[in-house]
Amino acid sequence: MIDSIKDKLYSSGIDATTIKDMIEKADGARKFAYTPYSGFKVGAGLLAYDSDNKPAIITGCNIENAAYSPGNCAERTAVFKAVSEGYRDFRAIAIIAGKGKIADSYTSPCGVCRQVLREFVDPNNFYVIMAKNTEDYKVMTLEELFPMSFGPDNLK
């Protein structure tokens, strides 16, 4: 992780314990992934805050479909669950993925997931944690992953 991103992440109140918890919950969600076609299981843990500023980690997994396009990514599952439960303040998301039982690659959100995240966050202050495990992960801001993105502020 780049030191400046790490400093920014920690100064935003997201510490090593929170990151570990997010990755563990994402890995737990990954076990529920429905991937009969690709075998590529993804879990996500979205750090969200409610209207009383209480944190929660909302999880999601990817869900495939025989017709392919009706499937849904883990990141969007987590965002949609969070929104449906009243959360709108998102600070970070942990993503863990791979084939089989062990996560073996750093996986970033697809373009559609980046756009869905962008709807709800300031891309300069939202962190994407791409993990192999709780000790081996990379962090980038959504702005780094999705520069010059289109969001709600463009419609004002």
Side-chain angles (χ1 to χ4, degrees):
M1 172 170 34
I2 301 169
D3 286 337
S4 63
I5 294 293
K6 181 178 178 182
D7 293 341
K8 198 173 170 187
L9 181 69
Y10 287 177
S11 70
S12 72
I14 304 169
D15 60 14
T17 301
T18 302
I19 293 168
K20 181 178 179 186
D21 194 26
M22 291 173 66
I23 294 168
E24 286 174 347
K25 288 190 175 175
D27 199 33
R30 184 176 171 273
K31 292 173 179 55
F32 296 115
Y34 176 73
T35 61
Y37 309 107
S38 73
F40 192 74
K41 298 178 177 297
V42 184
L46 178 68
L47 180 59
Y49 288 77
D50 67 14
S51 59
D52 295 325
N53 207 32
K54 287 184 180 176
I57 298 171
I58 311 297
T59 60
C61 64
N62 57 323
I63 303 163
E64 294 181 345
N65 187 286
Y68 295 107
S69 65
N72 202 48
C73 298
E75 301 89 333
R76 280 183 281 146
T77 299
V79 169
F80 296 158
K81 277 176 61 179
V83 170
S84 74
E85 294 172 15
Y87 295 92
R88 298 289 190 283
D89 181 3
F90 307 137
R91 311 278 174 91
I93 191 164
I95 304 161
I96 188 164
K99 287 199 172 206
K101 293 183 179 184
I102 298 174
D104 57 3
S105 64
Y106 303 113
T107 302
S108 67
C110 75
V112 174
C113 289
R114 293 175 196 201
Q115 185 64 52
V116 168
L117 288 165
R118 175 63 179 89
E119 181 69 19
F120 297 98
V121 305
D122 170 359
N124 288 306
N125 295 307
F126 182 81
Y127 303 94
V128 179
I129 302 160
M130 298 159 281
K132 290 183 182 180
N133 57 56
T134 58
E135 303 297 320
D136 187 3
Y137 58 88
K138 295 181 180 195
V139 179
M140 295 178 76
T141 64
L142 185 60
E143 175 66 24
E144 290 173 308
L145 289 172
F146 199 37
M148 297 184 66
S149 61
F150 184 87
D153 50 314
N154 292 104
L155 297 175
K156 291 182 181 175

